[in-house]
Coordinates of all heavy atoms in Angstrom, one line a residue:
A1 N 7.4 -12.6 3.4 CA 7.0 -12.6 2.0 C 6.5 -11.2 1.6 O 6.8 -10.7 0.5 CB 5.9 -13.6 1.8
L2 N 5.8 -10.5 2.5 CA 5.4 -9.1 2.2 C 6.5 -8.2 2.1 O 6.6 -7.4 1.1 CB 4.4 -8.6 3.3 CG 3.9 -7.2 3.1 CD1 3.2 -7.0 1.8 CD2 3.0 -6.7 4.2
L3 N 7.5 -8.2 3.0 CA 8.6 -7.3 2.9 C 9.5 -7.6 1.7 O 9.9 -6.7 1.1 CB 9.5 -7.5 4.2 CG 8.8 -7.1 5.5 CD1 9.7 -7.4 6.7 CD2 8.3 -5.7 5.5
A4 N 9.6 -8.9 1.3 CA 10.4 -9.2 0.1 C 9.7 -8.7 -1.1 O 10.3 -8.1 -2.0 CB 10.6 -10.7 0.0
A5 N 8.3 -8.8 -1.2 CA 7.6 -8.4 -2.3 C 7.6 -6.9 -2.4 O 7.7 -6.3 -3.5 CB 6.1 -8.9 -2.2
L6 N 7.5 -6.2 -1.3 CA 7.6 -4.7 -1.3 C 9.0 -4.3 -1.8 O 9.1 -3.3 -2.6 CB 7.3 -4.1 0.0 CG 5.8 -4.2 0.4 CD1 5.7 -3.9 1.9 CD2 5.0 -3.2 -0.4
A7 N 10.0 -4.9 -1.4 CA 11.4 -4.6 -1.8 C 11.5 -4.8 -3.3 O 12.2 -4.0 -4.0 CB 12.4 -5.4 -1.0
R8 N 10.9 -5.8 -3.8 CA 11.0 -6.1 -5.3 C 10.2 -5.1 -6.1 O 10.6 -4.6 -7.1 CB 10.6 -7.5 -5.5 CG 10.7 -7.9 -7.0 CD 10.4 -9.3 -7.2 NE 10.5 -9.6 -8.7 CZ 9.9 -10.6 -9.3 NH1 9.3 -11.5 -8.6 NH2 10.1 -10.7 -10.6
H9 N 8.9 -4.9 -5.7 CA 8.0 -4.2 -6.6 C 7.8 -2.7 -6.2 O 7.4 -1.9 -7.1 CB 6.6 -4.9 -6.5 CG 6.6 -6.3 -7.1 ND1 6.7 -6.6 -8.4 CD2 6.5 -7.4 -6.4 CE1 6.7 -7.9 -8.6 NE2 6.6 -8.4 -7.4
M10 N 8.2 -2.3 -5.0 CA 8.1 -0.9 -4.6 C 9.4 -0.6 -3.9 O 9.3 -0.2 -2.7 CB 6.9 -0.8 -3.7 CG 5.6 -1.1 -4.5 SD 4.1 -1.2 -3.4 CE 3.9 0.5 -3.0
P11 N 10.5 -0.7 -4.5 CA 11.8 -0.5 -3.8 C 12.1 0.8 -3.2 O 12.9 0.9 -2.3 CB 12.8 -0.9 -4.9 CG 12.2 -0.5 -6.2 CD 10.7 -0.9 -5.9
R12 N 11.4 1.9 -3.6 CA 11.7 3.2 -3.1 C 10.8 3.5 -1.9 O 11.0 4.5 -1.2 CB 11.5 4.3 -4.1 CG 12.6 4.1 -5.2 CD 12.6 5.2 -6.2 NE 11.2 5.4 -6.7 CZ 10.9 5.9 -7.9 NH1 11.9 6.4 -8.6 NH2 9.7 6.1 -8.2
A13 N 9.9 2.6 -1.6 CA 9.0 2.8 -0.4 C 9.8 2.4 0.8 O 10.6 1.4 0.7 CB 7.7 2.0 -0.6
S14 N 9.5 3.0 1.9 CA 10.1 2.5 3.2 C 9.0 1.8 3.9 O 7.9 2.1 3.9 CB 10.7 3.7 4.0 OG 9.6 4.5 4.5
V15 N 9.5 0.7 4.6 CA 8.5 -0.2 5.2 C 8.9 -0.5 6.7 O 10.1 -0.7 7.0 CB 8.5 -1.6 4.5 CG1 7.5 -2.5 5.0 CG2 8.3 -1.4 3.0
A16 N 7.9 -0.4 7.5 CA 8.1 -0.8 8.9 C 7.0 -1.8 9.3 O 5.8 -1.5 9.1 CB 8.0 0.5 9.8
K17 N 7.4 -2.9 9.8 CA 6.4 -3.9 10.3 C 5.8 -3.3 11.6 O 6.5 -2.9 12.5 CB 7.1 -5.2 10.6 CG 6.2 -6.3 10.9 CD 6.9 -7.6 11.1 CE 5.9 -8.7 11.6 NZ 6.5 -9.9 12.0
A18 N 4.5 -3.4 11.6 CA 3.8 -2.9 12.8 C 4.1 -3.8 14.0 O 4.2 -5.0 13.9 CB 2.3 -2.9 12.6
A19 N 4.5 -3.2 15.1 CA 4.9 -3.9 16.3 C 3.7 -4.8 16.8 O 2.6 -4.3 17.0 CB 5.3 -2.9 17.4
G20 N 4.0 -6.1 17.0 CA 3.0 -7.0 17.5 C 1.8 -7.2 16.7 O 0.8 -7.8 17.2
G21 N 1.8 -6.9 15.5 CA 0.6 -7.0 14.6 C 0.9 -7.8 13.4 O 1.9 -8.5 13.3
S22 N -0.1 -7.8 12.5 CA 0.0 -8.5 11.3 C -0.1 -7.6 10.1 O -0.9 -7.8 9.2 CB -1.1 -9.6 11.3 OG -2.3 -9.0 11.4
A23 N 0.5 -6.4 10.2 CA 0.5 -5.4 9.1 C 1.8 -4.7 9.0 O 2.6 -4.8 9.9 CB -0.6 -4.4 9.4
A24 N 2.0 -4.1 7.9 CA 3.2 -3.3 7.6 C 2.8 -1.9 7.3 O 1.8 -1.7 6.7 CB 4.1 -3.9 6.5
W25 N 3.5 -1.0 7.8 CA 3.3 0.5 7.6 C 4.2 0.9 6.4 O 5.4 0.7 6.6 CB 3.6 1.3 8.8 CG 3.3 2.7 8.8 CD1 4.2 3.7 8.6 CD2 2.0 3.3 8.8 NE1 3.5 4.9 8.6 CE2 2.2 4.7 8.7 CE3 0.7 2.9 8.9 CZ2 1.1 5.6 8.7 CZ3 -0.4 3.8 9.0 CH2 -0.1 5.1 8.9
V26 N 3.7 1.3 5.3 CA 4.5 1.6 4.1 C 4.4 3.1 3.9 O 3.3 3.7 3.8 CB 3.9 0.9 2.9 CG1 4.7 1.2 1.6 CG2 3.9 -0.6 3.1
T27 N 5.6 3.7 3.8 CA 5.6 5.1 3.4 C 6.1 5.2 1.9 O 7.2 4.7 1.6 CB 6.6 5.9 4.3 OG1 6.2 5.8 5.7 CG2 6.6 7.4 3.9
L28 N 5.3 5.7 1.1 CA 5.6 5.8 -0.3 C 6.6 6.9 -0.6 O 6.7 7.8 0.1 CB 4.3 6.0 -1.1 CG 3.1 5.0 -0.8 CD1 1.8 5.5 -1.5 CD2 3.5 3.7 -1.3
D29 N 7.3 6.7 -1.7 CA 8.3 7.7 -2.1 C 7.6 9.0 -2.6 O 8.3 10.1 -2.6 CB 9.3 7.2 -3.1 CG 8.7 6.7 -4.4 OD1 7.5 6.3 -4.4 OD2 9.4 6.8 -5.4
T30 N 6.4 8.9 -3.1 CA 5.7 10.1 -3.6 C 4.3 10.1 -3.1 O 3.7 9.0 -3.0 CB 5.7 10.2 -5.1 OG1 5.1 9.1 -5.6 CG2 7.1 10.4 -5.7
P31 N 3.7 11.2 -2.8 CA 2.3 11.2 -2.3 C 1.4 10.9 -3.5 O 1.6 11.3 -4.6 CB 2.1 12.7 -1.9 CG 3.4 13.4 -1.9 CD 4.3 12.5 -2.7
V32 N 0.3 10.2 -3.2 CA -0.7 9.9 -4.1 C -2.1 10.2 -3.5 O -2.2 10.4 -2.3 CB -0.7 8.4 -4.6 CG1 0.6 8.1 -5.2 CG2 -1.0 7.5 -3.4
D33 N -3.1 10.4 -4.4 CA -4.5 10.5 -3.9 C -4.9 9.2 -3.3 O -5.0 8.2 -4.1 CB -5.3 11.0 -5.1 CG -6.8 11.2 -4.7 OD1 -7.4 10.2 -4.2 OD2 -7.3 12.3 -4.9
G34 N -5.1 9.2 -2.0 CA -5.5 8.0 -1.4 C -6.7 7.3 -1.9 O -6.8 6.1 -2.1
K35 N -7.8 8.1 -2.1 CA -9.0 7.5 -2.7 C -8.8 6.9 -4.0 O -9.3 5.8 -4.3 CB -10.1 8.6 -2.7 CG -11.4 8.1 -3.2 CD -12.5 9.2 -3.2 CE -13.8 8.6 -3.7 NZ -14.8 9.6 -4.0
A36 N -8.0 7.6 -4.9 CA -7.8 7.1 -6.2 C -6.9 5.8 -6.1 O -7.2 4.8 -6.9 CB -7.0 8.1 -7.1
L37 N -6.0 5.7 -5.2 CA -5.2 4.5 -5.0 C -6.0 3.3 -4.6 O -5.9 2.2 -5.1 CB -4.0 4.8 -4.1 CG -3.2 3.6 -3.8 CD1 -2.6 2.9 -5.1 CD2 -2.0 3.9 -2.8
V38 N -6.9 3.6 -3.6 CA -7.8 2.5 -3.1 C -8.7 2.0 -4.2 O -8.8 0.8 -4.4 CB -8.6 3.0 -1.9 CG1 -9.8 2.1 -1.6 CG2 -7.7 3.3 -0.7
E39 N -9.2 2.9 -5.0 CA -10.1 2.5 -6.1 C -9.3 1.7 -7.2 O -9.8 0.7 -7.7 CB -10.8 3.7 -6.7 CG -11.8 4.3 -5.7 CD -12.4 5.6 -6.2 OE1 -11.9 6.2 -7.2 OE2 -13.3 6.1 -5.5
A40 N -8.1 2.2 -7.6 CA -7.3 1.6 -8.6 C -6.9 0.2 -8.1 O -6.9 -0.7 -8.9 CB -6.1 2.5 -8.9
A41 N -6.5 0.1 -6.9 CA -6.1 -1.2 -6.3 C -7.3 -2.2 -6.3 O -7.1 -3.3 -6.7 CB -5.5 -1.0 -4.9
A42 N -8.4 -1.7 -5.9 CA -9.6 -2.6 -5.8 C -10.0 -3.1 -7.2 O -10.4 -4.3 -7.4 CB -10.8 -1.8 -5.2
R43 N -9.8 -2.2 -8.3 CA -10.1 -2.7 -9.6 C -9.1 -3.8 -10.0 O -9.4 -4.6 -10.9 CB -9.9 -1.6 -10.6 CG -11.1 -0.6 -10.6 CD -11.1 0.4 -11.8 NE -9.9 1.2 -11.8 CZ -9.7 2.4 -11.2 NH1 -10.7 2.9 -10.5 NH2 -8.6 3.1 -11.4
R44 N -8.0 -3.9 -9.4 CA -7.0 -4.9 -9.6 C -7.1 -6.1 -8.6 O -6.2 -7.0 -8.6 CB -5.6 -4.4 -9.6 CG -5.4 -3.4 -10.8 CD -4.0 -2.7 -10.6 NE -3.7 -2.0 -11.8 CZ -3.2 -2.5 -13.0 NH1 -3.0 -3.8 -13.1 NH2 -2.9 -1.8 -14.0
G45 N -8.1 -6.1 -7.8 CA -8.4 -7.1 -6.8 C -7.5 -7.1 -5.6 O -7.4 -8.0 -4.8
V46 N -7.0 -5.9 -5.3 CA -6.2 -5.7 -4.1 C -6.9 -4.6 -3.2 O -7.2 -3.5 -3.6 CB -4.8 -5.2 -4.5 CG1 -3.9 -4.9 -3.2 CG2 -4.1 -6.2 -5.4
L47 N -7.1 -5.0 -1.9 CA -7.7 -4.1 -1.0 C -6.6 -3.5 -0.1 O -5.8 -4.2 0.5 CB -8.7 -4.8 -0.1 CG -9.9 -5.5 -0.9 CD1 -10.8 -6.2 0.1 CD2 -10.6 -4.5 -1.8
V48 N -6.6 -2.1 0.0 CA -5.6 -1.5 0.8 C -6.3 -0.4 1.7 O -7.4 0.0 1.4 CB -4.5 -0.8 -0.1 CG1 -3.7 -1.8 -0.8 CG2 -5.0 0.3 -1.0
E49 N -5.6 0.0 2.7 CA -6.1 1.0 3.6 C -5.0 2.1 3.6 O -3.9 1.9 3.9 CB -6.2 0.4 5.0 CG -6.7 1.3 6.0 CD -6.8 0.6 7.4 OE1 -6.2 -0.5 7.6 OE2 -7.6 1.1 8.2
T50 N -5.5 3.3 3.2 CA -4.5 4.4 3.2 C -4.3 4.9 4.7 O -5.1 4.7 5.5 CB -5.0 5.6 2.4 OG1 -6.3 6.1 3.0 CG2 -5.2 5.3 0.9
G51 N -3.1 5.4 4.9 CA -2.8 5.8 6.3 C -3.3 7.2 6.7 O -3.2 7.5 7.8
D52 N -4.0 7.9 5.8 CA -4.5 9.2 6.1 C -5.5 9.2 7.3 O -5.6 10.1 8.0 CB -5.0 9.9 4.9 CG -6.1 9.2 4.2 OD1 -6.4 8.0 4.5 OD2 -6.7 9.8 3.3
I53 N -6.2 8.0 7.5 CA -7.1 8.0 8.6 C -6.4 8.0 9.9 O -7.1 8.2 11.0 CB -8.0 6.7 8.5 CG1 -7.2 5.4 8.6 CG2 -8.8 6.8 7.2 CD1 -8.1 4.2 8.7
F54 N -5.1 7.8 10.0 CA -4.4 7.8 11.2 C -3.9 9.2 11.6 O -3.2 9.3 12.6 CB -3.2 6.8 11.2 CG -3.7 5.4 11.0 CD1 -3.7 4.8 9.8 CD2 -4.2 4.7 12.1 CE1 -4.1 3.5 9.6 CE2 -4.6 3.4 12.0 CZ -4.6 2.7 10.7
F55 N -4.2 10.2 10.8 CA -3.8 11.6 11.1 C -4.9 12.4 11.7 O -6.1 12.2 11.2 CB -3.3 12.2 9.8 CG -2.0 11.7 9.3 CD1 -1.9 10.6 8.5 CD2 -0.8 12.3 9.7 CE1 -0.7 10.1 8.0 CE2 0.4 11.7 9.2 CZ 0.5 10.6 8.4
A56 N -4.6 13.2 12.6 CA -5.7 14.1 13.2 C -6.2 15.0 12.1 O -7.4 15.3 12.0 CB -5.1 14.9 14.3
V57 N -5.4 15.5 11.3 CA -5.8 16.4 10.1 C -5.2 15.6 8.9 O -4.0 15.8 8.6 CB -5.2 17.8 10.2 CG1 -5.6 18.6 9.0 CG2 -5.6 18.5 11.5
P58 N -6.0 14.8 8.2 CA -5.6 14.1 7.1 C -5.0 14.9 6.0 O -5.6 16.0 5.6 CB -6.8 13.3 6.6 CG -7.7 13.3 7.7 CD -7.4 14.6 8.5
P59 N -3.9 14.5 5.4 CA -3.3 15.3 4.3 C -4.2 15.1 3.0 O -4.9 14.1 2.9 CB -1.9 14.6 4.1 CG -2.0 13.3 4.7 CD -3.1 13.4 5.8
R60 N -4.1 16.0 2.1 CA -4.9 15.9 0.9 C -4.4 14.7 0.1 O -5.2 14.0 -0.5 CB -4.7 17.2 0.1 CG -5.7 17.3 -1.1 CD -5.7 18.6 -1.7 NE -5.7 18.4 -3.2 CZ -4.7 18.5 -4.0 NH1 -3.6 18.9 -3.5 NH2 -4.8 18.3 -5.2
K61 N -3.1 14.5 0.0 CA -2.6 13.3 -0.6 C -1.8 12.5 0.5 O -1.3 13.1 1.4 CB -1.6 13.7 -1.7 CG -2.3 14.3 -2.9 CD -1.4 14.4 -4.1 CE -2.2 14.8 -5.3 NZ -1.4 14.6 -6.5
T62 N -1.8 11.2 0.3 CA -1.2 10.4 1.3 C 0.1 9.8 0.8 O 0.3 9.6 -0.3 CB -2.2 9.2 1.7 OG1 -1.6 8.6 2.8 CG2 -2.5 8.3 0.6
R63 N 1.0 9.5 1.8 CA 2.2 8.8 1.5 C 2.2 7.5 2.3 O 3.2 6.8 2.3 CB 3.4 9.7 1.9 CG 3.5 10.9 1.0 CD 4.8 11.6 1.3 NE 5.9 10.8 0.9 CZ 7.1 10.8 1.4 NH1 7.4 11.6 2.4 NH2 8.1 10.0 1.0
H64 N 1.2 7.2 3.0 CA 1.2 6.1 3.9 C 0.1 5.0 3.6 O -1.0 5.4 3.3 CB 1.0 6.6 5.4 CG 2.0 7.6 5.7 ND1 3.3 7.4 6.0 CD2 1.8 9.0 5.8 CE1 3.9 8.5 6.3 NE2 3.0 9.5 6.2
L65 N 0.5 3.8 3.7 CA -0.5 2.7 3.6 C -0.3 1.7 4.7 O 0.9 1.5 5.2 CB -0.2 1.9 2.3 CG -0.3 2.6 1.0 CD1 0.1 1.7 -0.2 CD2 -1.7 3.1 0.7
R66 N -1.3 1.1 5.2 CA -1.2 0.0 6.1 C -1.6 -1.2 5.4 O -2.8 -1.3 4.9 CB -2.2 0.3 7.3 CG -2.1 -0.7 8.4 CD -3.1 -0.4 9.5 NE -3.1 -1.5 10.5 CZ -3.9 -2.6 10.3 NH1 -4.7 -2.7 9.3 NH2 -3.8 -3.5 11.2
L67 N -0.7 -2.2 5.3 CA -1.0 -3.4 4.6 C -1.0 -4.6 5.5 O 0.0 -5.0 6.1 CB 0.1 -3.6 3.5 CG 0.3 -2.5 2.5 CD1 1.5 -2.9 1.5 CD2 -0.9 -2.3 1.7
G68 N -2.2 -5.1 5.7 CA -2.4 -6.3 6.5 C -2.0 -7.5 5.7 O -2.2 -7.5 4.4
Y69 N -1.5 -8.6 6.3 CA -1.1 -9.7 5.6 C -1.5 -11.1 6.2 O -1.4 -12.1 5.6 CB 0.4 -9.7 5.3 CG 1.2 -9.6 6.6 CD1 1.6 -10.7 7.4 CD2 1.7 -8.3 7.0 CE1 2.3 -10.5 8.5 CE2 2.5 -8.2 8.2 CZ 2.8 -9.3 8.9 OH 3.5 -9.2 10.0
S70 N -2.0 -11.0 7.4 CA -2.3 -12.3 8.1 C -3.4 -13.2 7.5 O -3.3 -14.4 7.6 CB -2.7 -12.1 9.6 OG -3.9 -11.4 9.6
A71 N -4.3 -12.6 6.7 CA -5.4 -13.4 6.1 C -5.1 -13.6 4.6 O -5.9 -14.2 3.9 CB -6.7 -12.6 6.3
I72 N -3.9 -13.3 4.2 CA -3.6 -13.4 2.7 C -2.8 -14.7 2.6 O -1.7 -14.9 3.2 CB -2.7 -12.2 2.2 CG1 -3.3 -10.9 2.6 CG2 -2.5 -12.4 0.7 CD1 -4.6 -10.5 1.9
P73 N -3.2 -15.6 1.7 CA -2.4 -16.8 1.4 C -1.0 -16.4 0.9 O -0.8 -15.4 0.1 CB -3.1 -17.5 0.3 CG -4.5 -17.1 0.5 CD -4.4 -15.6 0.9
L74 N 0.0 -17.1 1.4 CA 1.4 -16.7 1.1 C 1.7 -16.6 -0.4 O 2.3 -15.6 -0.8 CB 2.4 -17.8 1.7 CG 3.8 -17.5 1.6 CD1 4.2 -16.3 2.4 CD2 4.6 -18.7 2.2
D75 N 1.1 -17.4 -1.2 CA 1.4 -17.4 -2.6 C 0.7 -16.2 -3.4 O 0.9 -16.0 -4.5 CB 1.0 -18.7 -3.3 CG -0.5 -19.1 -3.2 OD1 -1.2 -18.5 -2.3 OD2 -0.9 -19.9 -4.0
R76 N -0.2 -15.5 -2.6 CA -0.9 -14.4 -3.3 C -0.3 -13.0 -2.9 O -0.7 -12.0 -3.4 CB -2.4 -14.4 -2.9 CG -3.0 -15.7 -3.4 CD -4.5 -15.7 -3.4 NE -5.0 -14.6 -4.2 CZ -6.2 -14.1 -4.1 NH1 -7.0 -14.6 -3.1 NH2 -6.6 -13.2 -4.8
I77 N 0.7 -13.0 -1.9 CA 1.2 -11.8 -1.5 C 2.0 -11.1 -2.5 O 1.8 -9.9 -2.9 CB 2.1 -12.0 -0.2 CG1 1.1 -12.3 1.0 CG2 2.9 -10.7 0.2 CD1 1.8 -12.7 2.3
A78 N 3.0 -11.7 -3.1 CA 3.8 -11.1 -4.2 C 3.0 -10.6 -5.4 O 3.2 -9.5 -5.8 CB 5.0 -12.0 -4.6
P79 N 2.1 -11.4 -5.9 CA 1.3 -10.9 -7.0 C 0.4 -9.7 -6.6 O 0.2 -8.8 -7.4 CB 0.4 -12.1 -7.4 CG 1.2 -13.3 -6.9 CD 1.9 -12.9 -5.7
G80 N -0.1 -9.7 -5.4 CA -0.9 -8.6 -4.9 C -0.1 -7.3 -4.8 O -0.5 -6.3 -5.2
V81 N 1.2 -7.4 -4.3 CA 2.0 -6.2 -4.2 C 2.4 -5.7 -5.6 O 2.4 -4.5 -5.9 CB 3.3 -6.5 -3.4 CG1 4.3 -5.4 -3.4 CG2 2.9 -6.8 -1.9
A82 N 2.6 -6.7 -6.6 CA 2.9 -6.2 -7.9 C 1.7 -5.5 -8.5 O 1.9 -4.4 -9.2 CB 3.2 -7.5 -8.8
E83 N 0.5 -5.9 -8.2 CA -0.7 -5.2 -8.7 C -0.9 -3.9 -8.0 O -1.3 -2.9 -8.6 CB -2.0 -6.1 -8.5 CG -2.1 -7.3 -9.4 CD -2.1 -6.9 -10.9 OE1 -2.7 -5.8 -11.2 OE2 -1.5 -7.6 -11.7
L84 N -0.5 -3.8 -6.7 CA -0.6 -2.6 -6.0 C 0.4 -1.6 -6.6 O 0.1 -0.4 -6.8 CB -0.2 -2.8 -4.5 CG -0.1 -1.5 -3.6 CD1 -1.4 -0.8 -3.6 CD2 0.3 -1.9 -2.2
A85 N 1.6 -2.0 -7.0 CA 2.5 -1.1 -7.7 C 2.0 -0.6 -9.0 O 2.1 0.6 -9.3 CB 3.9 -1.8 -7.9
R86 N 1.3 -1.4 -9.7 CA 0.6 -1.0 -10.9 C -0.5 0.0 -10.7 O -0.7 0.9 -11.4 CB 0.1 -2.2 -11.7 CG 1.3 -3.0 -12.3 CD 0.7 -4.2 -13.1 NE 1.8 -5.1 -13.4 CZ 2.0 -6.3 -12.8 NH1 1.1 -6.7 -11.8 NH2 3.0 -7.1 -13.0
A87 N -1.2 -0.3 -9.6 CA -2.4 0.6 -9.2 C -1.8 2.0 -8.8 O -2.5 3.0 -9.1 CB -3.1 0.0 -8.0
M88 N -0.7 2.0 -8.2 CA -0.1 3.4 -7.9 C 0.1 4.2 -9.2 O -0.1 5.4 -9.2 CB 1.2 3.2 -7.1 CG 1.0 2.8 -5.7 SD 2.5 2.8 -4.7 CE 3.1 4.4 -5.1
A89 N 0.6 3.5 -10.2 CA 0.8 4.2 -11.5 C -0.6 4.7 -12.0 O -0.7 5.8 -12.6 CB 1.5 3.3 -12.5
D90 N -1.6 3.9 -11.9 CA -2.9 4.3 -12.3 C -3.5 5.5 -11.6 O -4.2 6.3 -12.1 CB -4.0 3.1 -12.1 CG -3.7 1.9 -13.0 OD1 -2.9 2.0 -13.9 OD2 -4.3 0.8 -12.7
A91 N -3.1 5.5 -10.3 CA -3.7 6.6 -9.4 C -2.9 7.9 -9.5 O -3.3 8.9 -9.0 CB -3.7 6.1 -7.9
A92 N -1.7 7.8 -10.1 CA -0.8 9.0 -10.2 C -1.4 10.1 -11.0 O -2.2 9.9 -11.9 CB 0.6 8.6 -10.6

């Protein structure tokens, strides 16, 4: 469901399912301010984790998100990804 929603709402992002986990690693097509994206998404009821924390020297702008999905009800995944795509526009 997450991969389908990302393909529909964020088609230019590349997505890799985390091996053995319950998250997807998303590489955005353009860098965004990670803090602004987290805040914009939260205002829309979506919690995201930017990937910059996984870098030894975090970039000023991030292109990576880690999206967990195991605790999200199936029927809320697609609407949440749609809101995340809108939040990216807010953070740009």
Side-chain angles (χ1 to χ4, degrees):
L2 177 62
L3 298 177
L6 287 165
R8 179 174 181 202
H9 297 288
M10 300 171 70
R12 295 185 310 203
S14 66
V15 183
K17 186 177 175 190
S22 57
W25 185 255
V26 179
T27 302
L28 305 171
D29 60 329
T30 57
V32 297
D33 180 301
K35 182 179 178 189
L37 177 57
V38 167
E39 291 171 356
R43 285 192 299 273
R44 294 176 170 278
V46 178
L47 303 178
V48 297
E49 181 178 19
T50 61
D52 56 353
I53 64 170
F54 295 99
F55 290 87
V57 178
R60 194 171 134 255
K61 290 193 171 190
T62 188
R63 294 188 66 207
H64 307 285
L65 300 174
R66 182 181 173 277
L67 301 180
Y69 55 84
S70 65
I72 311 289
L74 188 61
D75 63 338
R76 297 193 62 201
I77 291 176
V81 172
E83 289 300 325
L84 177 59
R86 291 182 193 102
M88 284 186 53
D90 295 346

